[in-house]
Amino acid sequence: MSTDAGDGFSFKREMLAALPSLRAFSVSLARRHDRADDLVQETVMKAWSKQESFQPGTNMRAWLFTILRNEFYSQMRRKGRELPDPDGVFAGNLATHPEQYGKLDMADFKEALDTLPDDQREAIVLIGASGFSYEEAAEIAGVAVGTIKSRVNRARTKLQELLTITGESDYGPDQTSAPLVNKAFPGR
């Protein structure tokens, strides 16, 4: 962007003239030539995209140095929140159980829970989901502790039947995703 040709101002020309000083300042901050070059490039890109905010006749070098300095400190803040992983070891070990299976399992569970008789559903929710003790759940339901235990047991048995749960292997990742999760988390 340039103003009238008569005043001799050329944004591009002034920016190019400032590059050697900008690079020297960048090297002093980054302490590595490759990082310094990246920093200068990022500064030039930002300055070029924001050239309409530069006031002709003001100090172009100071403006560019400010952009470079701000970019350097922004990168340092980002770097402080990142975990260095140059070989990709940490990233390669990240694996999670696919989310869609959990959502489908939860939908199946809700459907099965809705088929339970009201007294069993109430008992299993009080004990399993709300975390009440058998005594507290019995008091809330207004029944004996043995009755709550019986209702919870019948509810668990019915849920296992409805969800076709036969053992511990039915929880967690399925056969397809288990090798991936187990590779990432060997103790599983």
Side-chain angles (χ1 to χ4, degrees), residues 96-180:
T96 60
H97 185 62
E99 188 177 310
Q100 67 270 25
Y101 295 129
K103 289 183 179 183
L104 293 172
D105 289 345
M106 184 55 112
D108 290 344
F109 176 76
K110 286 180 181 177
E111 188 177 315
L113 189 65
D114 286 343
T115 65
L116 294 177
D118 291 342
D119 60 341
Q120 290 178 18
R121 184 174 50 254
E122 176 187 48
I124 195 91
V125 168
L126 286 171
I127 299 297
S130 301
F132 290 107
S133 68
Y134 285 109
E135 292 77 16
E136 293 168 326
E139 188 177 323
I140 291 168
V143 295
V145 173
T147 303
I148 282 291
K149 288 181 178 182
S150 176
R151 288 177 182 175
V152 167
N153 185 46
R154 286 195 309 270
R156 285 181 181 153
T157 302
K158 185 64 176 176
L159 287 173
Q160 286 177 336
E161 177 187 310
L162 292 170
L163 297 171
T164 60
I165 296 173
T166 57
E168 270 188 49
S169 63
D170 292 332
Y171 295 101
D174 62 3
Q175 290 179 337
T176 305
S177 57
L180 300 173

Side-chain angles (χ1 to χ4, degrees), residues 27-98:
V27 169
S28 73
L29 290 175
R31 296 190 180 134
R32 284 186 26 210
H33 291 283
D34 60 332
R35 287 188 59 217
D37 289 341
D38 291 344
L39 193 55
V40 170
Q41 180 179 347
E42 188 64 33
T43 300
V44 169
M45 298 294 289
K46 286 186 176 192
W48 191 261
S49 70
K50 299 292 183 188
Q51 61 185 293
E52 69 280 348
S53 67
F54 178 72
Q55 299 295 319
T58 60
N59 190 339
M60 168 73 80
R61 284 183 58 208
W63 186 65
L64 290 170
F65 274 57
T66 302
I67 293 171
L68 187 137
R69 182 182 176 279
N70 290 342
E71 178 61 23
F72 173 75
Y73 285 114
S74 291
Q75 288 179 7
M76 293 303 291
R77 279 191 298 276
R78 277 194 302 271
K79 186 178 178 184
R81 294 187 298 261
E82 295 173 356
L83 177 66
D85 189 17
D87 300 327
V89 173
F90 294 119
N93 285 328
L94 292 178
T96 60
H97 185 62

